[in-house]
Amino acid sequence: MATTNVSIRMDSDLKAQADALFAELGMNLSTAFNIFVRQSLREGGIPFEIRTERPNKETIAAMLEAEHIAADPKAKKYRDLDELFADLEK
């Protein structure tokens, strides 16, 4: 098997963390990268899900409601949690 060199740009802090993790697993960054590439080829793509975190409809509705309440000058305001809980117990 012929080998070739690959250069990867990476944040130095990220590399240090990766080096430490892979050392605990008994390998170096080069071996970990080779495992990633081989698994990518087996899977026919990235071997894990890549997605942005998007809130669901209920969370979006709650966020909009919170913004509406915060902007409402008639909404009751509390100085601290104790005052809020005392009001809730009434």
Side-chain angles (χ1 to χ4, degrees), residues 12-13 16 24 31-32 38-39 43 46-47 52 54 56 59-60 67 73 81 83-85 87:
S12 58
D13 228 19
E24 284 183 42
T31 301
R38 288 178 187 277
Q39 190 63 30
E43 299 278 330
I46 303 294
T52 59
R54 296 184 187 196
N56 61 27
T59 302
I60 291 170
E67 287 175 7
L81 285 175
E83 185 180 355
L84 168 68
F85 288 126
D87 195 32

Side-chain angles (χ1 to χ4, degrees), residues 12-44:
S12 58
D13 228 19
L14 183 63
K15 182 182 182 301
Q17 291 177 46
D19 284 336
L21 172 65
F22 298 136
E24 284 183 42
L25 297 171
M27 66 182 85
N28 59 25
L29 188 58
S30 180
T31 301
F33 180 74
N34 275 290
I35 291 170
F36 169 78
V37 171
R38 288 178 187 277
Q39 190 63 30
S40 296
L41 293 171
R42 279 189 202 102
E43 299 278 330

Side-chain angles (χ1 to χ4, degrees), residues 58-90:
E58 292 82 12
T59 302
I60 291 170
M63 291 165 52
L64 291 172
E65 180 182 10
E67 287 175 7
H68 177 74
I69 292 169
D72 184 356
K74 296 178 185 175
K76 185 164 184 180
K77 309 287 189 234
Y78 298 95
R79 289 185 299 259
D80 56 41
L81 285 175
D82 292 332
E83 185 180 355
L84 168 68
F85 288 126
D87 195 32
L88 288 172
E89 290 176 2
K90 290 181 185 178

Side-chain angles (χ1 to χ4, degrees), residues 2-6:
T3 62
T4 187
N5 288 328
V6 176

